[in-house]
Amino acid sequence: IGAGAAGGGQRVLVRARPFSAAGGASVDETLLVTVDFSRLHARTCTLDTRDHARGDFELWTPRAGASHRDAPRCVLGAEAAFWRRKPLAACAVGDAFAPARTRTRACECALADYECDEGFWRNDYGECVLDGPDARAPADCRDGSTYMGRSGYRRVPQSQCEGGSDLAAPVERVCGRAGGVQAHVVRPDAPIADLQFFRDAPHAVARTERGAVLVSLDEGGRWAPLDAAAGAPAEYAAVLLHPVFAERAFFVPRHGAVGLVSDDAARTTRLLRLPAAPAPALQPALRFHPEYPEWLLFMAQRGGSGSAQAEAFVSRDGGASWDSLVPHVGAAGCAFLRSERSKRFA
């Protein structure tokens, strides 16, 4: 099936094969059938751009929604209107509208007419925000001072918009303030053994395989050694976050009977006096009570460093004092268990 352009699409040429008497298509004969629709319409449609009521065409503008009350759709800063035949016009369009006739007008500039400038990226809200430090900030820009810098937007070159929002106008920026996605690389002296985040603070704590502890107070933006109180050990076997007190953390030493405890999400620390060195075979050496937040169990090493025996101690005041609980602890250590008689943990 094909149609020529000269006839305005009203004459269609069909190439076909006739059916034989047996009901099959003939392979030896080809037919060319012309179907002429021009006599269905008595006249050719007329276009009157000055008086739409007198002509057979009306202006049609694509809109953002399905209703005619929706706002016109602007593409690259321009709204395009197309002439189309009226639904009740009994006429043939012919070849006068090849290509289709349009009418355009400029739209007011909006966010869609801007793209992100170099060094900026579009966030989840469609805004162009700074990606890292501003490479075009003044060389003598001191942290905290301000300067007039790029807004982050630039006009799309093909946009025909006029007026409206000037998103490319310079804005006031703060020196030393970065934005967008940033990456901070820290190379500790040993591989990280564990990494934990406090629940109610943007603080994180990391322990290396050598026992060193690093602390970040800005969700990993910067890392620094643990602010240890005087007399604290140099190596730690474990860092335990309290399950109830969101900002309390215990730093169990690898050797010796002195550890650390923090009550402000590792911002500061104080010494934790333990009854003895922790039992290395019973980790975690420090365990929490599920109902009484101040109750602690501690698995201590009995005898010399090569001894395999351990002793369990209990504290009912958050580690301020300790009492011997089980002199000889088995391979599994001790834990707080619920009593079926009292329906409480003991």
Side-chain angles (χ1 to χ4, degrees):
I1 299 178
Q10 298 189 76
R11 291 185 179 87
V12 179
L13 182 63
V14 181
R15 187 178 63 177
R17 294 183 184 276
F19 276 87
S20 64
S26 174
V27 296
D28 299 328
E29 187 178 2
T30 300
L31 300 179
L32 293 178
V33 181
T34 301
V35 182
D36 189 356
F37 296 96
S38 61
R39 297 186 180 182
L40 293 178
H41 302 288
R43 62 184 181 87
T44 301
C45 298
T46 59
L47 171 64
D48 192 328
T49 59
R50 297 182 178 181
D51 188 355
H52 299 180
R54 297 179 55 184
D56 297 307
F57 295 88
E58 61 183 359
L59 275 176
W60 171 73
T61 303
R63 298 184 181 271
S67 174
H68 67 278
R69 290 185 293 269
D70 294 323
R73 179 173 298 175
C74 295
V75 179
L76 292 176
E79 173 195 338
F82 299 85
W83 290 102
R84 69 176 181 181
R85 190 181 63 174
K86 296 178 181 178
L88 301 180
C91 59
V93 175
D95 57 357
F97 279 74
R101 297 186 182 182
T102 61
R103 176 184 294 180
T104 60
R105 71 172 184 86
C107 299
E108 288 190 349
C109 295
L111 181 62
D113 299 295
Y114 291 85
E115 60 185 1
C116 291
D117 202 353
E118 180 183 359
F120 293 78
W121 66 290
R122 199 175 294 275
N123 62 14
D124 293 339
Y125 299 97
E127 304 167 335
C128 293
V129 296
L130 190 62
D131 184 10
D134 187 1
R136 301 186 186 179
D140 58 348
C141 199
R142 295 176 298 174
D143 288 355
S145 61
T146 59
Y147 67 97
M148 296 304 294
R150 295 174 299 158
S151 66
Y153 298 90
R154 62 185 177 191
R155 275 274 300 274
V156 176
Q158 296 83 1
S159 177
Q160 305 176 44
C161 69
E162 298 176 356
S165 303
D166 184 12
L167 301 182
V171 297
E172 186 177 72
R173 295 197 171 275
V174 180
C175 296
R177 182 175 298 176
V181 177
Q182 304 173 54
H184 302 273
V185 179
V186 176
R187 292 181 174 86
D189 60 349
I192 298 297
D194 51 72
L195 174 65
Q196 302 180 72
F197 291 86
F198 288 88
R199 297 194 306 274
D200 299 335
H203 298 182
V205 58
R207 185 181 64 88
T208 70
E209 293 182 356
R210 293 183 180 177
V213 175
L214 301 174
V215 175
S216 173
L217 304 181
D218 57 359
E219 296 183 319
R222 297 180 181 179
W223 292 89
L226 176 67
D227 185 11
E235 298 180 0
Y236 298 88
V239 178
L240 303 174
L241 305 187
H242 200 284
V244 177
F245 301 124
E247 295 192 353
R248 181 173 295 182
F250 292 87
F251 302 85
V252 181
R254 181 170 288 181
H255 310 287
V258 177
L260 291 173
V261 60
S262 174
D263 297 309
D264 54 5
R267 186 182 297 273
T268 60
T269 60
R270 54 185 173 86
L271 295 180
L272 173 66
R273 303 291 180 179
L274 301 170
L282 298 176
Q283 295 296 331
L286 188 67
R287 305 177 184 187
F288 303 99
H289 194 286
E291 288 189 355
Y292 299 102
E294 296 289 353
W295 286 28
L296 305 172
L297 275 179
F298 181 71
M299 307 297 115
Q301 183 75 40
R302 294 187 74 247
S305 60
S307 174
Q309 295 183 355
E311 181 176 357
F313 290 83
V314 63
S315 174
R316 297 174 178 84
D317 53 11
S321 61
W322 298 91
D323 297 317
S324 178
L325 184 64
V326 181
H328 301 281
V329 178
C334 291
F336 291 108
L337 300 177
R338 179 183 291 273
S339 171
E340 293 299 328
R341 178 178 301 177
S342 62
K343 301 300 181 182
R344 300 186 66 85
F345 286 92

